[in-house]
Amino acid sequence: MRGFLCCAYIDGATGATGAAGATGATGPTGATGPTGAAGATGATGATGPTGVNVTATSSFAANTSGTVLAVVLGGVLIPLPDSQVLPADITVNAANTVFTVNTAGRYRLSYEVNTTAALASGTALVINGSANTASTIAPLVSLSHFSNEILLDLAAGTTVSLRMFGIVSAATLLPGSAGASLMITRLS
């Protein structure tokens, strides 16, 4: 029989660590996470200033008493003493015939005149003493109802009146109703 000689293996000491290898490629971006909860609502800011109310400069006046007007060719101003709604910046004279607009702006001026009988007369708004052509109604036939409205840029201190003119006659405004009325409304 032959004998075997057996060798025992003994581990030697660990060698030095080798150099680090190159960095590998970047992997794909992961999925976006869910949106977080909303933050608290911020405090309410201060309230801004109140804007200008231009239509606060509006007036109305009427004649509901059945006034008899002595109409002449050059015209007669119609008194409007009833149902007056006047702001501080529109005033009227003692005869209730001349309204003064004390705030400049663009205005809508409208009027009506209603008489008890048809007349060969006309009507117009008088601005600063002169008849306004666009507001004038000068019919070819007799009428008992006159109405018109216009837009005008008025300077502070402008005067506005309502006038009836025509053949010399007497005109009776409708009593107990709107015999005549004038409205002045600031738009801007």
Side-chain angles (χ1 to χ4, degrees), residues 11 24 35-36 42 58 61-63 82 90-93 108 116 119 121 125 128 130-131 136 147 153 155 160 169 171:
D11 288 334
T35 301
S58 297
N63 186 315
D82 307 311
I90 297 179
T91 57
V92 65
N93 68 351
R108 175 182 174 226
T116 57
L119 303 168
S121 297
L125 290 172
N128 292 326
S130 298
T136 301
S147 68
D153 291 323
V160 178
S169 64

Side-chain angles (χ1 to χ4, degrees), residues 113-178:
V113 176
N114 297 295
T115 59
T116 57
L119 303 168
S121 297
T123 55
L125 290 172
V126 178
I127 310 297
N128 292 326
S130 298
N132 176 276
T133 304
S135 73
T136 301
I137 297 176
L140 298 175
V141 297
S142 296
L143 295 178
S144 62
H145 173 77
F146 306 83
S147 68
N148 201 349
E149 66 180 55
I150 59 173
L151 292 178
L152 283 179
D153 291 323
L154 302 179
T158 297
T159 60
V160 178
S161 299
L162 178 56
R163 177 167 70 187
M164 182 169 250
F165 62 89
I167 298 172
V168 177
S169 64
T172 304
L173 299 177
L174 284 178
S177 61

